[in-house]
Amino acid sequence: MANPLIYHKQGWIEVICGCMFSGKTEELIRRVRTALIAKQKVQLFNSKIDTRYGIDSITSHNQNKVAATCVKKSDEILALVDKDTQVVAIDEINFFDKGIVAVCEQLAQAGKRVIAAGLDTDYRAEPFEVTAALLAKAEFVTKNLAVCTKCGNPASFTQRISKDKKRIVVGTTDAYQARCRRCYKKPRQ
Ligand code: ADP
Ligand code: MG
Ligand code: ZN
């Protein structure tokens, strides 16, 4: 039987969350590629804060890459999405202002499939409010795990290995490791 969500051309929100290196971006890119194979019109967005791999793409840690528009504020996305776009993919939602939640809801309400990926928790293992809210509002939720860099168990924590104390510090393996619950050490404030 046909999926009723698709049959009625209804929009919805999918969230892909997890710690760093858990394959969120890879999974986002995989979903985008299958939508493109189905000849759907897809638009991709990333945050301007994510400067790790240039400013015009969504790139995973293993260098899988797709072109994307980088925006500073959530409401820029609404202005940029075309009427006939069927799929809107947004990476690093945790970098966006809290307006991103309403933006995703508005797009879904307008009949679009919204795929949003981002960190569920920060380096202190506290929830990113934006991701937490979006997880509560989404129809479909996926939590990815990485491999613990210390012991190989499933990892859901992001250990910062640099001494920075700011909540947002952009980095890859130079600054972060995936850790399991046993190997993660919460940094002192
Ligand atoms: P995320 O967007 O969740 O940070 P990516 O999709 O960019 O993750 O990258 C996932 C890739 O990172 C994996 O396929 C693997 O090649 C690489 N990687 C590096 N360190 C780890 C780790 N500790 N656990 C799992 N994958 C890792
Ligand atoms: Mg990523
Ligand atoms: Zn471990």
Side-chain angles (χ1 to χ4, degrees), residues 97-123:
D97 55 277
K98 64 176 193 287
I100 194 74
V101 180
V103 165
C104 291
E105 286 186 288
Q106 222 172 304
L107 291 169
Q109 208 64 37
K112 310 206 187 293
R113 173 186 178 193
V114 180
I115 313 171
L119 292 166
D120 46 4
T121 56
D122 63 15
Y123 78 107

Side-chain angles (χ1 to χ4, degrees), residues 25-120:
T25 300
E26 251 179 47
E27 177 61 19
L28 180 87
I29 294 172
R30 189 189 68 78
R31 292 185 195 183
V32 163
R33 292 221 164 109
T34 54
L36 289 171
I37 289 167
K39 301 212 174 355
Q40 295 192 307
K41 180 163 174 178
V42 184
Q43 281 185 264
L44 296 92
F45 298 95
N46 198 358
S47 162
K48 263 204 175 125
I49 297 174
D50 185 9
T51 50
R52 290 173 297 183
Y53 304 100
I55 51 151
D56 56 356
S57 73
I58 290 172
T59 309
S60 67
H61 293 295
N62 56 1
Q63 304 302 315
N64 211 342
K65 186 171 177 169
V66 287
T69 307
C70 287
V71 293
K72 223 181 204 162
K73 289 178 69 193
S74 58
D75 51 11
E76 290 174 57
I77 296 176
L78 278 185
L80 287 165
V81 171
D82 298 328
K83 221 171 169 210
D84 59 343
T85 290
Q86 293 153 296
V87 181
V88 179
I90 310 167
D91 201 5
E92 299 294 355
I93 46 164
N94 49 283
F95 284 166
F96 281 94
D97 55 277
K98 64 176 193 287
I100 194 74
V101 180
V103 165
C104 291
E105 286 186 288
Q106 222 172 304
L107 291 169
Q109 208 64 37
K112 310 206 187 293
R113 173 186 178 193
V114 180
I115 313 171
L119 292 166
D120 46 4

